Amino acid sequence: LKQRIGIIGGGQLGKMMILAAKYLGFYVTVLDPDAACPAHSICDEQIVAPLDDVAANIELSNKSDILTYEFEDINADILEKLESEGAVVYPTPKSLKIIQNKYLQKYTLKQNGVPVPKLKKINSYDELADFCGENNNSAILKTSFGGYDGKGNAVIKSLSDARAAYDNFAKTSGEMFAEELVDFKTEISVLTCRGTDNRVAIYPIAENRHEDNILRETRVPARISKNAIRDAMAIAGRTIEVFEGVGMFCAEMFVTNEDKILVNEVAPRPHNSGHYTIEACACSQFEQHIRAISGLPLGETSMYGCAVMRNILGSPGYSGKPLVVGAELAMALPGVHLHVYGKSSTRPKRKMGHITVVNDDMDKTINIADQAAGLVKIISE
Amino acid sequence: LKQRIGIIGGGQLGKMMILAAKYLGFYVTVLDPDAACPAHSICDEQIVAPLDDVAANIELSNKSDILTYEFEDINADILEKLESEGAVVYPTPKSLKIIQNKYLQKYTLKQNGVPVPKLKKINSYDELADFCGENNNSAILKTSFGGYDGKGNAVIKSLSDARAAYDNFAKTSGEMFAEELVDFKTEISVLTCRGTDNRVAIYPIAENRHEDNILRETRVPARISKNAIRDAMAIAGRTIEVFEGVGMFCAEMFVTNEDKILVNEVAPRPHNSGHYTIEACACSQFEQHIRAISGLPLGETSMYGCAVMRNILGSPGYSGKPLVVGAELAMALPGVHLHVYGKSSTRPKRKMGHITVVNDDMDKTINIADQAAGLVKIISE
């Protein structure tokens, strides 16, 4: 049993990985530039430095038997070098490099038979205009690198949108690509995990609702057709094989009006839409990730009842040291579990915590989640 | 919502309290003499000092909005003083003082109508001999203060046993009392929690097996009669009211051959026999304790399937820096959850971790627990 885990990133995902690792007795070092990051008080050691800092990555590797990360916009080159020198890094830097480049990520999936939206690399405004012309004068323009929670994406519904988006991206964003604007009926995500023994565990499919490109709600099990469930599970399994993953992967997908599945984005890590697994599944996505990267056998993904997860975002109009209000009211409702990440400051729409409701009836679960989410607010002191 | 919790004791119970508190975003300070205690790496701050150190208790109070403890052999006088000066201490120092004195604990229960074994304060050998004479020449002699895991108890089955036990205790142990030796068919424990709103939550009854006075196994639900379940739940509810508890309480009880319930011992804290609640119940005993002492509403005690908990003790013949072996084999079995406490050294029979198995069939669960417990060993490096 390898004893020391190093995590690049000490946000809420890193924190929840550590909480799982600590039950199992691992020694955990975190690399994060914020000395007061959510993970800071529960790790054994923290290296306070930028996530892409070469010396800090080397130091983390020296203090760890296994390296992993909670965030994919990191320095894959140094991880590749450390791996070549004998470090164990999961998911592998090779997978990470492909996933970091969002165009290459989707192109690789497409080449391997995984259905994705139509996409095209864009080198000029004319290429974008042509792509839009072929797709009802619409598209999403995306940057290949960086961008999350909707940043680095532009929805195009006319040629004048296309012109504005292209000019804006050309100034700031480097490589870009266009995707067809998919008219979907449901957004889902499938969490999978692959062990070092190549076994794959797949969690019940989650149904997601975004607002302003930020995940607001996850409901599990997803209310989609049996065919869509079968296809989504098969596609998720194929996806983690394409990337030769070890550890948790999340594949976000669209279910189209014709009940087709298209993969929208892959994350090589535990995912916000999998937080429900902490209370609702036998083995959470965080314990599963720790098991996988440390060479332990995978745990069970079986689920108790239904679950609804609601993100708690910083309330509009409040910035600074966070204050939780309404927790005692929300927690009085049946099946409500509150998570407060412990970020040192709040700002509007920042992910500050979440609520998971577990119950045996989906309508009841949704109803309780609505009530609870209306009660808990993050304001500032 | 009070934000800062202070815990006296940083062993495995303190550690598991912190893991629950951290999900909720609390700031936790621990008082423990061992700088490398299981809680050390996950608390926000640690005060390294003896548990009964007056200045350290005052410092802990200054750093906390709520004080609690994981162990009852602590300095109740200083807690009482801090409480009189405005500190919030749960369970209350008043309850703690009664429970610390094992004779007074049982006498108080008896006076309040809770059934306990026959007991008598012992001031001389003749009093002990008389008590044994009235009880088939048998008894258990116990010290009123201190003693755990069988230390401070002597089983008497003859007058010569009585003489030896009395002389031994008279030399070293101060106040003592005798109890009838109960011929029980099952040992059970009932975990209860009382909130600041006086509501009481009761967990499914656990069936315990001790070896050499150390808890080895807990099975839940206990296989006892419906009458015994009803009586045990009522007695547990009565017990936490007698002590005006806030927080988790554990009442260990005997079920006699005549299906009578007798309370054997009360602990004002989460308990080893309640570890199964982490994976098997909607709200664990640790989250429940944190909810109760911080004035949050209590969580649900409903259970998923059956659970068997097995303590992992330090293997005979090994002392020093612990090494876990067999984890990967045990964790490959279905429903197995491993906990490693992270103690800095092992010794024979020291509690180093535990396994909880959750499954839907008790025979299957027992069988898996047997296999898993046979596979995981704590040796030394």
Side-chain angles (χ1 to χ4, degrees):
Chain A
L1 192 56
K2 288 185 168 124
Q3 295 292 328
R4 300 173 307 155
I5 295 175
I7 305 177
I8 301 168
Q12 64 266 27
L13 297 174
K15 176 186 171 183
M16 291 186 272
M17 282 185 204
I18 298 174
L19 289 170
K22 279 290 159 189
Y23 278 111
L24 288 161
F26 285 100
Y27 185 94
V28 185
T29 305
V30 159
L31 165 59
D32 196 282
D34 179 2
C37 66
H40 86 279
S41 70
I42 56 168
C43 59
D44 289 272
E45 283 186 67
Q46 182 179 352
I47 300 166
V48 179
L51 298 183
D52 61 356
D53 185 275
V54 171
N57 275 267
I58 293 168
E59 186 186 349
L60 185 69
S61 180
N62 289 336
K63 290 182 167 175
S64 310
D65 301 310
I66 311 150
L67 293 177
T68 191
Y69 39 89
E70 59 139 30
F71 184 62
E72 53 271 29
D73 195 10
I74 54 175
N75 188 336
D77 288 332
I78 180 66
L79 291 178
E80 203 163 47
K81 183 156 182 294
L82 289 166
E83 190 186 45
S84 74
E85 292 165 5
V88 176
V89 187
Y90 289 130
T92 62
K94 187 183 154 198
S95 315
L96 177 62
K97 281 198 150 179
I98 299 170
I99 290 170
Q100 281 181 333
N101 179 335
K102 287 185 184 166
Y103 175 76
L104 185 60
Q105 177 194 124
K106 274 203 172 113
Y107 184 79
T108 303
L109 288 172
K110 192 181 160 188
Q111 292 300 100
N112 284 278
V114 174
V116 296
K118 266 189 272 176
L119 77 164
K120 191 184 167 193
K121 210 160 185 173
I122 298 297
N123 298 301
S124 68
Y125 169 69
D126 288 346
E127 286 183 8
L128 177 59
D130 285 352
F131 185 85
C132 291
E134 293 158 17
N135 291 285
N136 307 315
N137 286 322
S138 69
I140 303 185
L141 188 64
K142 295 186 172 181
T143 56
S144 293
F145 294 97
Y148 65 97
D149 285 352
K151 294 168 191 86
N153 285 4
V155 173
I156 293 170
K157 291 188 170 174
S158 69
L159 283 182
S160 65
D161 284 357
R163 182 82 248 178
Y166 179 81
D167 289 349
N168 186 24
F169 277 44
K171 257 181 281 177
T172 56
S173 303
E175 216 180 290
M176 63 183 104
F177 65 103
E179 266 184 32
E180 65 173 319
L181 199 57
V182 176
D183 190 19
F184 57 85
K185 60 180 176 191
T186 316
E187 286 180 281
I188 60 171
S189 57
V190 191
L191 296 151
T192 53
C193 193
R194 195 149 166 267
T196 51
D197 58 1
N198 297 333
R199 288 205 193 167
V200 172
I202 305 188
Y203 284 88
I205 298 177
E207 181 181 338
N208 298 319
R209 182 168 56 79
H210 291 81
E211 275 173 33
D212 303 329
N213 292 299
I214 300 171
L215 181 68
R216 298 305 293 267
E217 183 183 73
T218 297
R219 297 175 178 183
V220 194
R223 290 155 310 170
I224 56 176
S225 72
K226 281 189 183 166
N227 281 351
I229 290 173
R230 183 201 58 204
D231 293 350
M233 307 254 309
I235 288 167
R238 181 87 187 107
T239 299
I240 201 166
E241 272 175 30
V242 167
F243 293 120
E244 298 167 17
V246 165
M248 285 296 308
F249 276 66
C250 176
E252 292 187 88
M253 305 178 188
F254 298 127
V255 184
T256 70
N257 291 318
E258 296 75 37
D259 235 22
K260 291 245 163 70
I261 305 287
L262 297 170
V263 173
N264 182 40
E265 195 163 321
V266 175
R269 53 170 169 80
H271 190 263
N272 194 166
S273 65
H275 290 353
Y276 80 90
T277 60
I278 295 176
E279 289 91 3
C281 292
C283 177
S284 79
Q285 66 169 346
F286 299 102
E287 180 181 339
Q288 196 74 283
H289 187 70
I290 297 297
R291 282 180 178 236
I293 65 172
S294 63
L296 289 167
L298 299 183
E300 283 151 294
T301 59
S302 54
M303 185 174 176
Y304 313 120
C306 303
V308 174
M309 187 286 305
R310 296 283 284 261
N311 273 334
I312 306 172
L313 307 182
S315 292
Y318 293 94
S319 289
K321 202 175 170 200
L323 187 67
V324 183
V325 293
E328 58 290 354
L329 298 172
M331 290 173 78
L333 300 170
V336 172
H337 298 270
L338 176 67
H339 293 249
V340 177
Y341 300 149
K343 294 185 181 179
S344 50
S345 70
T346 184
R347 57 174 182 264
K349 298 203 176 169
R350 189 175 194 196
K351 289 178 184 172
M352 299 302 292
H354 73 268
I355 288 166
T356 299
V357 184
V358 184
N359 211 306
D360 48 12
D361 171 87
M362 183 52 96
D363 289 332
K364 228 189 286 176
T365 312
I366 292 169
N367 186 269
I368 295 167
D370 283 346
Q371 289 180 59
L375 290 165
V376 181
K377 301 281 172 218
I378 306 277
I379 59 172
S380 51
E381 282 190 355
Chain B
L1 192 57
K2 288 186 169 126
Q3 295 294 326
R4 300 173 307 155
I5 296 175
I7 304 176
I8 301 168
Q12 64 266 28
L13 297 173
K15 176 186 172 184
M16 292 186 272
M17 283 185 204
I18 299 174
L19 290 170
K22 279 290 160 189
Y23 278 111
L24 288 161
F26 285 99
Y27 185 95
V28 185
T29 305
V30 158
L31 165 61
D32 196 283
D34 179 2
C37 67
H40 86 280
S41 71
I42 57 168
C43 58
D44 289 271
E45 285 187 64
Q46 182 179 352
I47 300 166
V48 180
L51 299 183
D52 61 356
D53 185 276
V54 171
N57 275 267
I58 294 168
E59 186 186 350
L60 185 69
S61 182
N62 289 336
K63 291 182 166 176
S64 310
D65 301 311
I66 312 150
L67 293 177
T68 190
Y69 39 89
E70 58 139 29
F71 184 61
E72 52 272 28
D73 195 10
I74 54 176
N75 188 336
D77 288 332
I78 180 65
L79 292 178
E80 202 163 48
K81 183 156 182 296
L82 289 167
E83 189 186 46
S84 74
E85 291 163 5
V88 176
V89 187
Y90 290 130
T92 61
K94 188 183 153 198
S95 315
L96 176 61
K97 281 198 151 178
I98 299 170
I99 290 170
Q100 281 181 332
N101 179 335
K102 287 182 183 168
Y103 174 77
L104 185 59
Q105 177 194 127
K106 276 203 172 114
Y107 184 79
T108 304
L109 288 171
K110 192 179 161 192
Q111 291 301 97
N112 284 278
V114 174
V116 295
K118 268 189 269 177
L119 77 164
K120 191 183 169 195
K121 210 160 183 174
I122 297 297
N123 297 302
S124 67
Y125 169 70
D126 288 346
E127 286 183 8
L128 177 59
D130 285 352
F131 184 86
C132 291
E134 292 158 17
N135 290 285
N136 308 315
N137 286 323
S138 70
I140 303 187
L141 188 63
K142 296 186 174 183
T143 57
S144 293
F145 293 97
Y148 66 96
D149 286 352
K151 296 172 189 82
N153 286 2
V155 173
I156 293 170
K157 292 188 169 174
S158 67
L159 284 183
S160 66
D161 284 354
R163 182 81 248 177
Y166 180 82
D167 288 348
N168 185 25
F169 277 43
K171 257 181 281 176
T172 57
S173 305
E175 217 179 288
M176 64 183 103
F177 65 102
E179 268 185 31
E180 65 173 319
L181 200 56
V182 176
D183 190 19
F184 57 85
K185 60 180 176 192
T186 316
E187 284 180 283
I188 61 172
S189 56
V190 190
L191 296 152
T192 53
C193 192
R194 195 150 167 267
T196 51
D197 58 1
N198 296 333
R199 289 205 193 167
V200 172
I202 305 189
Y203 284 87
I205 298 176
E207 181 181 338
N208 299 320
R209 182 168 57 78
H210 290 82
E211 275 172 34
D212 302 329
N213 292 299
I214 300 172
L215 181 67
R216 299 305 293 266
E217 182 183 73
T218 297
R219 297 175 179 183
V220 195
R223 290 157 307 171
I224 56 176
S225 71
K226 281 188 184 168
N227 281 350
I229 290 172
R230 184 200 57 205
D231 292 350
M233 307 253 310
I235 288 167
R238 181 87 188 109
T239 298
I240 201 166
E241 273 175 28
V242 166
F243 292 121
E244 298 167 18
V246 164
M248 285 296 308
F249 276 66
C250 176
E252 292 187 87
M253 305 178 190
F254 298 127
V255 184
T256 69
N257 291 318
E258 297 75 37
D259 235 21
K260 291 247 164 69
I261 306 287
L262 297 171
V263 173
N264 182 41
E265 195 161 320
V266 175
R269 52 170 170 81
H271 190 263
N272 193 166
S273 64
H275 290 353
Y276 79 91
T277 61
I278 295 176
E279 289 91 4
C281 292
C283 178
S284 79
Q285 66 169 348
F286 299 103
E287 179 181 339
Q288 196 74 281
H289 187 71
I290 297 296
R291 282 181 177 234
I293 65 172
S294 63
L296 289 167
L298 299 184
E300 284 153 291
T301 59
S302 53
M303 184 173 176
Y304 312 121
C306 304
V308 174
M309 187 283 307
R310 297 283 284 260
N311 274 333
I312 305 172
L313 307 183
S315 291
Y318 294 94
S319 289
K321 203 176 168 198
L323 187 67
V324 184
V325 293
E328 58 290 354
L329 298 172
M331 290 173 79
L333 300 170
V336 171
H337 299 269
L338 176 67
H339 293 248
V340 177
Y341 299 149
K343 293 186 181 178
S344 51
S345 69
T346 185
R347 57 172 183 265
K349 298 204 176 168
R350 190 174 193 196
K351 290 178 182 171
M352 300 301 292
H354 73 268
I355 289 165
T356 299
V357 184
V358 184
N359 211 306
D360 48 12
D361 172 88
M362 184 52 98
D363 289 333
K364 228 189 286 177
T365 313
I366 292 170
N367 185 268
I368 295 167
D370 282 345
Q371 287 180 60
L375 290 165
V376 181
K377 301 280 171 217
I378 306 277
I379 60 172
S380 51
E381 281 190 356

